[in-house]
Amino acid sequence: MLAQKYFRKAGVAARLKKVEEETVPSWLWRSCPTRALVTLPESERYVSELSAKQVFDRLAGCWTYWGWKGGYFTSEDDARAFNDELRYMLAKQMVAPNSPQWSTPGCIGPTASTVPARATITWTGRPAN
């Protein structure tokens, strides 16, 4: 179901560059399309996500970026741990976002988004069925 419904099928720019932000660690920088994108044939400008790992990296990266920008982490190590644990929990189906969260976060690139943060993650302490 993940592949059929939530992989970004044609929304990831084929040529991306990192957007440097002085107050954000480099591994969390947003990505945006490069000018080279317009040199590609129109049918090749946007590509699909091909693996669950790409989806989990996009979601966890976006949520971690939002958390960093919102001041939720006391250190870069805390942000990394949050990112790693979210990716693990998504892969093990211990957490799952609501439907719009699968496709909206990370629209600008594979790691972060300029879409306003609206995600709420609740951990019940129990694995999902």
Side-chain angles (χ1 to χ4, degrees):
M1 177 144 149
L2 177 66
Q4 291 175 337
K5 208 167 178 189
Y6 300 117
F7 279 22
R8 294 192 54 82
K9 295 191 177 37
V12 180
R15 301 285 185 273
L16 294 167
K17 67 176 179 178
K18 293 293 186 180
V19 178
E20 187 173 340
E21 294 184 61
E22 195 173 305
T23 61
V24 177
S26 60
W27 62 273
L28 263 182
W29 288 346
R30 295 180 295 117
S31 296
C32 71
T34 67
R35 293 176 197 242
L37 193 62
V38 296
T39 65
L40 294 173
E42 200 166 319
S43 63
E44 296 175 20
R45 291 181 186 172
Y46 294 93
V47 296
S48 300
E49 288 174 327
L50 301 173
S51 74
K53 181 184 181 312
Q54 289 175 306
V55 176
F56 303 153
D57 287 347
R58 173 173 50 85
L59 292 173
C62 182
W63 296 334
T64 305
Y65 174 84
W66 286 344
W68 184 270
K69 295 294 276 189
Y72 288 97
F73 305 113
T74 57
S75 70
E76 187 175 336
D77 286 342
D78 288 346
R80 256 190 214 282
F82 177 80
N83 184 272
D84 291 344
E85 290 172 8
L86 259 181
R87 289 177 15 226
Y88 176 83
M89 289 190 296
L90 284 164
K92 297 295 261 180
Q93 299 180 16
M94 296 167 76
V95 296
N98 63 4
S99 195
Q101 284 292 314
W102 283 107
S103 55
T104 304
C107 289
I108 303 303
T111 58
S113 175
T114 57
V115 174
R118 292 189 193 115
T120 301
I121 300 170
T122 303
W123 169 248
T124 64
R126 295 182 307 249
N129 293 334

